[in-house]
Amino acid sequence: MRVGLFVTCLVDLMRPGIGFAAIKLLEAAGCEVFVPQSQTCCGQPAYNSGDRASAQALARKLLGEFEACDHVVAPSGSCAGMIRTHYPDLFADQPAELERVQRLCARTYELCDFLVNVAQLKSIKEKSIKTITYHDSCCGLRELGVKSQPRALLAMVQGLSVTEMPEAEVCCGFGGTFAVKFGEISTRLADNKCGAIAATGAEAVVLGDLGCMLNIEGRLRRRGDMKTQVLHIAEVLAGTE
Amino acid sequence: MQITSMHFKARAGKKLADVKLQAALRKLQSNFVKGRADRILELDNFEDIRAAAAAIRDRALASLDVWLEEFERNATARGAVVHWAETTEEANRIVCELAAKYDVRKAVKSKSMVSEECALNDALEAAGVEVVETDLGEYILQLAHEAPSHIVAPVVHKSRDEVSDLFEEKHKLPRKTGIPDLCREAREMLRPHFLSADMGISGANFIIAETGSTLIVTNEGNGRMVTTLPRVHVAITGIEKVVPTLEDVTTLLRLLPRHGTGQSITNYVSLTTGVKGDGDLDGPQHFHIILIDAGRTKLIGSDMQAMLRCIRCGACMNHCPVYQNVGGHAYGWVYPGPMGSILTPIYAGLENALDLPNASTLCNQCGVVCPVKIPLPDLMRKLREKQFERGLKPWPERFGLALWGWAARRPVLYAALSMMGVRLLAWMGGAAKLIHNLPFGGGWSGGRDLPAPQGKTFRELYRQHKRIDRINRTQQD
């Protein structure tokens, strides 16, 4: 099974370790991982800011890069959601490309969703970390239905306990450019999230999207919490945390 | 109502710092969010009902003219008079003319957000008519000279203590603190108004084509008094509120109270059909229904038409993390929260509400809870596209995005720029690997650090790994 890894621009820039963790997990699940070198961004920032033409150009580029793969996997609910949920809208008035886009969409997955439902990963080795809480990122949860998959994967890790935080499904306040444009509101939402995380007493908050990670970690540190780790689920599962 | 949506950001900042407001807003989550979650469990085929409700609204909108004309025919046959108002000004003029015609000195009102759109109270007062709001929340706001901050719970931003103070000051009676006592005091103040009013003004949650009836859902009973006691009843509502049949309404009523107030059904569901007939004990002698367009027909056939499905339950704002933290006044017009972020730019002008379609993380909690399946985040995004097309986006955003989009289409250049960028950020992060101050990113670093990157991009490291792999393999061979 040839899997194209869409690393996502934020992982590429900010936390490359997540990309390698994803490769490790996909290979452990028996996939042949292919990483197109020319990949950049899925176009979501442009799409959500109203710049349809730029979004379309980037979508077209991604389509060319990944079309040859059996599956496309991204360690991000937000980028996988952009491809699967919103690419068809971008090409709604271009029937010739729409068909190609739809074929790609049907083969595109968020990492956990893919590991559980397609690759059917069965076992994960013991990890050093013991107590975590899980934040459900908005796009993964509400666009792709990623809720039970990460928990199923975490449940395979021996000796790891997951304590659910209150309002795990409420937005952390990132929202892409929203976090900069409406910094004060965004910070308040992040602060609420940090409070919910602290209430669980977990060593780490684990999640599946880099935007939320930067936002939550940034706020935790500013609040003076240098201890609570903020980990991508791929890092936890691959033991690279 | 005067629009102040241009000041969203500044106002939101103030609201975040308002301790009393923050405490008041927490009620929303405990009452309405939990209430909805509990009440929809009573329906074992909830998603089917939701789909049916959306279909009913779509069917009404697909032939809006047909249903409205049927409504007019049936309402007229039962003695009501239907007026058509293209603008809010026209609606105000019609009501003022009716007030003059029937020699109205006092009007009592039940809650109507459309009348807020029109600023009807101001128009009537200017015409010499005393207007008394009788919905408890609206009554409090009228005393306080404030605007509603929520479409279902207009006074959600006020605490009980603030209401106690207000009543003591305005009613000049000993201060009450318990909710039943405060309610009784308001009721005693309102009763003489009900009995002496010449005109009752209500809104309508729905208007029903097959019977010519208007329908309101209320919890306080004031709606019944307003629609039955005075000689003249004026119902004022938007043209999109029409539904074909009573059967349709029963489906929508299974969702509206559950999503609005977390109730299986409201205390009152009042259908008003025609004028007082021979042998009827009560009811108005004159019944006028004013159907307002005010921008609605522009949406028919447009990419924003789904917004007209809205049944004004308020679930989108109750569940919106932004609304939950800034409240309704920050939005600056009649309709706050996600639905307001769409309706305000549409009805009051895109350029008068530039922040609103952007004031959302697009987390889609609103879209998930909407009982008539309005894709609210998609509609906000469409408004962002219209802003972009019309050049209404601020230049730093346009410039930044254009640069990013341009570079991201050129992988070699992008790789070079990103390699430099991450090295710079890693250096800025220092030993703690945290960036405290972002030049050009004060919105971020005002309240958060930025975790610094590792220093090399994934693609760089991946190429190095590949190279090492290749060397290892050649050595093994």
Side-chain angles (χ1 to χ4, degrees), chain A residues 39-40 48 142 186 215 219, chain B residues 363 365 381 384 408 447-448:
Chain A
Q39 62 175 293
T40 53
N48 283 346
R142 283 181 276 273
S186 177
N215 191 36
R219 184 59 198 166
Chain B
C363 78
Q365 186 60 47
R381 197 183 292 106
R384 296 179 187 187
R448 283 153 296 193

Side-chain angles (χ1 to χ4, degrees), chain B residues 94-114:
Chain B
I94 296 168
V95 183
C96 289
E97 281 169 10
L98 290 171
K101 178 178 170 187
Y102 295 115
D103 195 20
V104 171
R105 301 214 188 107
K106 182 188 286 181
V108 281
K109 275 183 77 197
S110 67
K111 198 170 85 64
S112 152
M113 296 312 287
V114 170

